[in-house]
Amino acid sequence: MLILQAYTKALSLKKTDNFDIYLNRAITYAMMNQFNNAILDFDTASAMKSDDEKLLQNRSFVYLQSKNYEKSIADYDILLAKYAYDKTSQTTNYFNRGLAKFNSGKFEDAITDFNESIKLKPDYKEAYFNISVAYNQLKRYKEALDWAQKAKAI
């Protein structure tokens, strides 16, 4: 709680270039599961630097956690298009976008994203498992079983 007060005080003292303060306060709110406050600060920071990688990664995950799947997917789309140089981030971004698509009922699209994360990290057990669950949701039980067995083998 003191950290939030410190960020708020810093905002009252500093009149320009408050991007980092808003971003860090948003991340703090997110860690406290105060997603609405986090999103407000992420959006304020985004008005200053809309394509900042750290902002987009954190905001997209908060959107995912708060079940705002379409906005999560939109941020992951930007991350995947703009920051393709980092294999580790790409793996996580594909996986998390897959989760957002899965949770919004877009099971085929989720499978595509989970497969992309596996291409980047072939031993990504959670991605194999999530493909199995997505196929199960699509009532494609043979494929679901095949992917579950692949996950188990890792």
Side-chain angles (χ1 to χ4, degrees):
M1 193 71 160
L2 289 175
I3 190 74
L4 290 174
Q5 291 172 348
Y7 286 132
T8 302
K9 179 71 172 173
L11 287 169
S12 71
L13 297 173
K14 192 173 179 186
K15 300 300 179 197
T16 60
D17 194 23
N18 291 325
F19 174 80
D20 288 325
I21 300 169
Y22 278 109
L23 177 61
N24 290 327
R25 190 171 73 171
I27 292 167
T28 303
Y29 278 132
M31 291 175 11
M32 298 170 65
N33 293 328
Q34 294 184 24
F35 299 130
N36 290 336
N37 288 330
I39 289 169
L40 288 172
D41 277 358
F42 282 131
D43 288 346
T44 301
S46 178
M48 297 171 210
K49 292 183 188 176
S50 64
D51 63 350
D52 182 80
E53 184 176 14
K54 185 176 178 183
L55 179 144
L56 290 166
Q57 285 175 332
N58 283 283
R59 185 176 66 182
S60 59
F61 190 71
V62 168
Y63 282 143
L64 179 61
Q65 294 299 104
S66 62
K67 301 179 181 177
N68 194 334
Y69 303 123
E70 293 308 313
K71 287 188 176 184
S72 179
I73 291 166
D75 276 356
Y76 283 119
D77 287 345
I78 296 167
L79 283 163
L80 288 163
K82 222 171 162 92
Y83 299 101
Y85 59 85
D86 182 352
K87 181 179 172 183
T88 302
S89 290
Q90 287 291 88
T91 304
T92 301
N93 292 335
Y94 274 116
F95 183 82
N96 286 342
R97 187 175 72 175
L99 289 175
K101 289 177 178 180
F102 178 91
N103 285 312
S104 61
K106 300 174 182 176
F107 302 117
E108 293 284 353
D109 292 341
I111 289 168
T112 300
D113 280 349
F114 295 138
N115 268 313
E116 289 298 320
S117 66
I118 290 169
K119 286 179 190 174
L120 295 165
K121 183 180 176 191
D123 64 343
Y124 204 165
K125 187 174 190 166
E126 294 85 355
Y128 286 90
F129 178 76
N130 286 353
I131 290 172
S132 172
V133 175
Y135 276 125
N136 190 62
Q137 290 294 319
L138 293 167
K139 299 184 182 348
R140 292 165 56 181
Y141 302 116
K142 169 75 171 96
E143 290 160 295
L145 180 60
D146 290 345
W147 282 94
Q149 289 172 336
K150 289 177 186 180
K152 185 178 177 187
I154 295 175

